[in-house]
């Protein structure tokens, strides 16, 4: 299995409502994907967040499922929405478990 964690940082002008829309849009991806064991998304509540406001995690059955996710048109649409919402930076971490 592969766990992917994504941390997102947004512009100061990005509203709380927009951040919630990012979370909901990401959660809706699960219905368009295969090979996903778990998918979570939420606002970062840590006081050591270094400005990263949204956390997304996905657990894939295998590397093939990860590659399918990366090439999925719904995933690309979600990524475009995140950029439009004021994304400044993102960190992606993949670990094999």
């Amino acid at each position: 299995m592969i766990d992917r964690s994504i941390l997102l940082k947004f512009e100061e002008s990005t509203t709380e409502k927009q951040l919630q829309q990012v979370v909901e849009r990401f959660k809706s991806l699960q219905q368009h994907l295969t090979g996903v064991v778990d998918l979570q998304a939420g606002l970062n509540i840590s006081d050591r967040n270094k400005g990263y406001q949204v956390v997304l995690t996905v657990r894939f059955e295998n590397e093939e499922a990860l590659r399918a996710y990366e090439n999925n048109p719904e995933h690309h649409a979600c990524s475009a929405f995140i950029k439009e919402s004021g994304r400044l930076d993102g960190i992606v971490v993949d670990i094999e478990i």
Side-chain angles (χ1 to χ4, degrees), residues 26-68:
F26 188 80
K27 286 180 177 180
S28 73
L29 277 180
Q30 189 160 9
Q31 63 188 332
H32 303 283
L33 302 171
T34 57
V36 172
V37 176
D38 187 48
L39 184 146
Q40 300 293 322
L43 300 180
N44 189 350
I45 61 171
S46 171
D47 60 355
R48 298 180 289 166
N49 62 40
K50 298 201 181 217
Y52 290 87
Q53 300 125 299
V54 176
V55 179
L56 315 170
T57 63
V58 188
R59 180 169 287 175
F60 298 97
E61 291 176 351
N62 51 40
E63 194 168 332
E64 184 179 315
L66 171 62
R67 299 298 163 233

